[in-house]
C-alpha cells in the first residue's frame, strides 16, 4: 500500500523524468526486508535498520552519527555521482560569473564588438553552404524498397534550414556591427551569446538538442555535416553514426520499414533485437537485415569487452565509449525478462524533453537492451543511460 501510494500518487505527480527510476528507489525502502534487524540500506552498512528494541534516544544517536552529506550509495549511485554533482555546481557558478563580466575591453584588451566580429567571421569561414537538395534527390530518390533515401533527404532539409539561418544571421550581425543595418533585439541577443561562447537561441530553436558551448557546437556541426555529406556522395554507410542524426527516431523507423517491406510483414509486429559487436571485429559491409549504429556514450557504467556485459564504472571515469551495436529486426519478438538491462538512449545529458508534434520526445530516442549480470534494478539506481552527445 505504501509503495503504491507514494510511487503512483505522491511522487509521480511531481516527477516528470524517469518514473521507472523513482519506483525502483522507493521499492528499496518500501519492502518487507526493511523490517529485519540486520537489513542494510547501502552496501557499506552505513545506512542500516536498528534493532526492534531500540528506543527514541537510540534513533537520535544513530541519526546524529550519519554523514552530514548523504553518500551516493544510499540511492544506489556510483561514487562518481559526487564528481558529477560538483562539476555541475561549478559550471553553474561560472555561468553566473560569465553574465557579470564587463562588455568592454581594458588595458589593451579587445572590445566586445571586436571579439564578436572575429568569431562571426571564423564561423562563416568554417560552416559550409547548404546542400543542393535537387542533386541529393536525384542521387537518392524516394524508393519503396529503400527507406534510408527518404531519411537522408529529410536530414539534409533540416540541416539546410539550420545552415541558411547561420549564414544569414551572421552576415546580418556583421552588418549591424559596422552600422550598416539596425541592431535589432534578436541580433543583440545573438551577439551577446556569441561573445559568451554560447549557442544563440535563434540557432538552438532550429537545431538539434545540444548542451555544448558555441566552439564545440560548431565543431560538432561540422562532423554531422561530414557524416551526411559522405552518405550523400558514397552511398549508405556500413555503420550509422546515430549521434549525427538531426532526427534519429526517423532513422530507427526507416530501419524497421526496410525490413517490413522486404518481408511483407506489418511494421507494428516488428521490434529490434540488440547485439553488441566485439571491439576486435572489423565491420566491412552492411548486414543483410537491420543496421549497425555507433557514436553512443555510456554514463553510470562501462562496457566490459572481456566479459561482454555491463560493468561498474572506474573511479573518475564519468563516460565511456559504447562499441558498435547491431539492430536486428525480428517479428513478434518476446523481450527477455532477465540477463539484460533496458537502457534508455537520450540525445543529451539533460535526459528530459517534451513531446513534439510528431509524437516523439525531443530528447529520448529509444530503449536498448544491454547484456547484464546484475539485476536490472541495480543499473536503474546507477542511472545508467546511453547518450548521443556530451556537453563538451
Amino acid at each position: 500500500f505504501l509503495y503504491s501510494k507514494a510511487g503512483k500518487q505522491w511522487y509521480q505527480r511531481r516527477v516528470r523524468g524517469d518514473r521507472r527510476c523513482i519506483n525502483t528507489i522507493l521499492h528499496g525502502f518500501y519492502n518487507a526486508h526493511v523490517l529485519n534487524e540486520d537489513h542494510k540500506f547501502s552496501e557499506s552498512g552505513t545506512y542500516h535498520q536498528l534493532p526492534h528494541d531500540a528506543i527514541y534516544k537510540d534513533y537520535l544517536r544513530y541519526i546524529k552519527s550519519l554523514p552530514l552529506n548523504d553518500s551516493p550509495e544510499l540511492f544506489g549511485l556510483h561514487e562518481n555521482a559526487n564528481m558529477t554533482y560538483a562539476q555541475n555546481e561549478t559550471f553553474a557558478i561560472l555561468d553566473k560569473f560569465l553574465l557579470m563580466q564587463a562588455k568592454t575591453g581594458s588595458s589593451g584588451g579587445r572590445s566586445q564588438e571586436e571579439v564578436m566580429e572575429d568569431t562571426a567571421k571564423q564561423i562563416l569561414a568554417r560552416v559550409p553552404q547548404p546542400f543542393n537538395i535537387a542533386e541529393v534527390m536525384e542521387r537518392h530518390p524516394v524508393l519503396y524498397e529503400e527507406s534510408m533515401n527518404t531519411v537522408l533527404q529529410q536530414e539534409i532539409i533540416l540541416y539546410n534550414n539550420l545552415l541558411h539561418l547561420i549564414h544569414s544571421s551572421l552576415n546580418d550581425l556583421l552588418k549591424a556591427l559596422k552600422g550598416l543595418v539596425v541592431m535589432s533585439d534578436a541580433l543583440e541577443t545573438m551577439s551577446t551569446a556569441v561573445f559568451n561562447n554560447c549557442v544563440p537561441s535563434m540557432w538552438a530553436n532550429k537545431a538539434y538538442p545540444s548542451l555544448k558551448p558555441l566552439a564545440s557546437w560548431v565543431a560538432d556541426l561540422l562532423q554531422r555535416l561530414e557524416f551526411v555529406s559522405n552518405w550523400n556522395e558514397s552511398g549508405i554507410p556500413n555503420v550509422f553514426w546515430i549521434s549525427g542524426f538531426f532526427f534519429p527516431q526517423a532513422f530507427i523507423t526507416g530501419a524497421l520499414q526496410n525490413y517490413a517491406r522486404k518481408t511483407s510483414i506489418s511494421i507494428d509486429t516488428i521490434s529490434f533485437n540488440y547485439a553488441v559487436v566485439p571491439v576486435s571485429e572489423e565491420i566491412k559491409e552492411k548486414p543483410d537485415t537491420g543496421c549497425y549504429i555507433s557514436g553512443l556514450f555510456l554514463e553510470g557504467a562501462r562496457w566490459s569487452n572481456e566479459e561482454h556485459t555491463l560493468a561498474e564504472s572506474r573511479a573518475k571515469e564519468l563516460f565511456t565509449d559504447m562499441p558498435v551495436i547491431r539492430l536486428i529486426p525480428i517479428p513478434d519478438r518476446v523481450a527477455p525478462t532477465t540477463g539484460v538491462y533496458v537502457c534508455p538512449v537520450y540525445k543529451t545529458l539533460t535526459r528530459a524533453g517534451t513531446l513534439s508534434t510528431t509524437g516523439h520526445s525531443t530528447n529520448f530516442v529509444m530503449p536498448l537492451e544491454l547484456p547484464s549480470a546484475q539485476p536490472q534494478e541495480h543499473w536503474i539506481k546507477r542511472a545508467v543511460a546511453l547518450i548521443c552527445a556530451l556537453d563538451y
Side-chain angles (χ1 to χ4, degrees):
F1 171 78
L2 287 174
Y3 170 73
S4 176
K5 190 73 174 177
K8 296 183 179 179
Q9 296 185 29
W10 297 341
Y11 284 106
Q12 286 197 2
R13 293 178 182 178
R14 297 169 174 81
V15 176
R16 295 183 179 180
D18 191 350
R19 293 185 176 181
R20 181 184 67 164
C21 180
I22 194 69
N23 287 337
T24 302
I25 293 174
L26 288 174
H27 190 264
F29 296 95
Y30 292 153
N31 64 78
H33 299 293
V34 301
L35 301 177
N36 299 331
E37 291 189 6
D38 59 347
H39 181 74
K40 298 179 180 179
F41 293 99
S42 62
E43 294 180 2
S44 67
T46 303
Y47 305 91
H48 59 82
Q49 181 61 279
L50 295 183
H52 293 161
D53 57 354
I55 60 176
Y56 176 72
K57 291 183 178 179
D58 295 328
Y59 281 94
L60 288 180
R61 190 180 304 111
Y62 171 67
I63 292 173
K64 291 180 180 179
S65 70
L66 292 175
L68 182 62
N69 297 316
D70 292 327
S71 172
E73 68 169 354
L74 175 60
F75 308 99
L77 294 168
H78 191 272
E79 284 299 319
N80 286 346
N82 271 334
M83 186 175 176
T84 300
Y85 170 77
Q87 282 188 350
N88 293 339
E89 287 292 297
T90 302
F91 292 150
I93 293 174
L94 292 176
D95 286 341
K96 299 298 182 183
F97 287 159
L98 191 63
L99 295 176
M100 295 187 293
Q101 70 176 341
K103 295 187 177 181
T104 57
S106 59
S107 302
R110 294 190 303 168
S111 66
Q112 182 179 11
E113 288 75 14
E114 291 173 334
V115 173
M116 290 186 299
E117 183 177 359
D118 288 347
T119 304
K121 289 180 177 179
Q122 290 174 12
I123 295 175
L124 279 174
R126 295 180 64 191
V127 176
Q129 292 293 328
F131 294 93
N132 187 328
I133 190 63
E135 290 183 0
V136 174
M137 291 182 174
E138 185 177 352
R139 280 184 182 178
H140 306 275
V142 176
L143 299 174
Y144 178 82
E145 60 273 11
E146 187 50 81
S147 298
M148 289 304 165
N149 288 0
T150 305
V151 173
L152 176 62
Q153 290 183 17
Q154 293 174 348
E155 288 291 311
I156 288 182
I157 290 172
L158 291 171
Y159 277 115
N160 274 359
N161 293 337
L162 177 59
L163 292 175
H164 278 299
L165 177 62
I166 291 174
H167 280 274
S168 62
S169 59
L170 286 177
N171 285 320
D172 289 343
L173 177 60
L174 290 175
K175 292 177 182 178
L177 292 174
K178 294 178 181 178
L180 300 178
V181 297
V182 177
M183 178 72 78
S184 63
D185 292 339
L187 289 177
E188 180 72 26
T189 303
M190 174 185 169
S191 65
T192 303
V194 170
F195 180 74
N196 291 332
N197 195 29
C198 299
V199 180
S201 57
M202 67 167 65
W203 296 2
N205 293 336
K206 277 278 188 180
Y208 40 84
S210 178
L211 303 178
K212 297 177 183 291
L214 180 59
S216 299
W217 187 87
V218 172
D220 178 62
L221 173 62
L222 295 178
Q223 289 182 344
R224 290 167 175 264
L225 294 175
E226 182 181 6
F227 164 67
V228 175
S229 178
N230 290 339
W231 183 355
N232 176 42
E233 295 175 2
S234 305
I236 298 175
N238 296 337
V239 181
F240 290 93
W241 183 40
I242 193 170
S243 304
F245 282 98
F246 212 108
F247 188 49
Q249 290 93 332
F251 158 71
I252 295 166
T253 302
L256 290 173
Q257 204 167 51
N258 273 349
Y259 181 81
R261 291 175 175 177
K262 180 180 179 181
T263 58
S264 300
I265 298 175
S266 173
I267 192 173
D268 296 332
T269 65
I270 304 171
S271 57
F272 284 123
N273 193 17
Y274 309 92
V276 180
V277 180
V279 178
S280 58
E281 184 176 325
E282 185 179 357
I283 301 172
K284 298 182 179 180
E285 58 183 11
K286 298 186 288 290
D288 295 333
T289 58
C291 57
Y292 293 109
I293 61 172
S294 65
L296 295 174
F297 301 91
L298 196 56
E299 182 184 23
R302 65 181 177 87
W303 179 256
S304 173
N305 295 314
E306 296 77 17
E307 300 177 3
H308 201 73
T309 185
L310 284 175
E312 294 292 349
S313 298
R314 299 185 180 93
K316 300 181 181 180
E317 189 177 60
L318 303 183
F319 310 101
T320 56
D321 293 335
M322 189 68 195
V324 174
I325 301 173
R326 182 181 174 186
L327 307 183
I328 309 170
I330 296 178
D332 300 319
R333 176 178 178 267
V334 178
T337 56
T338 59
V340 297
Y341 167 60
V342 181
C343 184
V345 180
Y346 295 99
K347 296 180 183 179
T348 68
L349 291 169
T350 304
R351 300 194 184 191
T354 57
L355 285 179
S356 62
T357 54
T358 61
H360 296 89
S361 170
T362 55
N363 203 334
F364 177 75
V365 179
M366 64 183 294
L368 199 152
E369 296 167 3
L370 298 177
S372 169
Q374 296 278 7
Q376 187 159 213
E377 292 74 17
H378 176 81
W379 301 117
I380 293 175
K381 289 182 179 181
R382 285 284 197 263
V384 175
L386 286 165
I387 311 297
C388 291
L390 303 181
D391 56 356
Y392 56 85

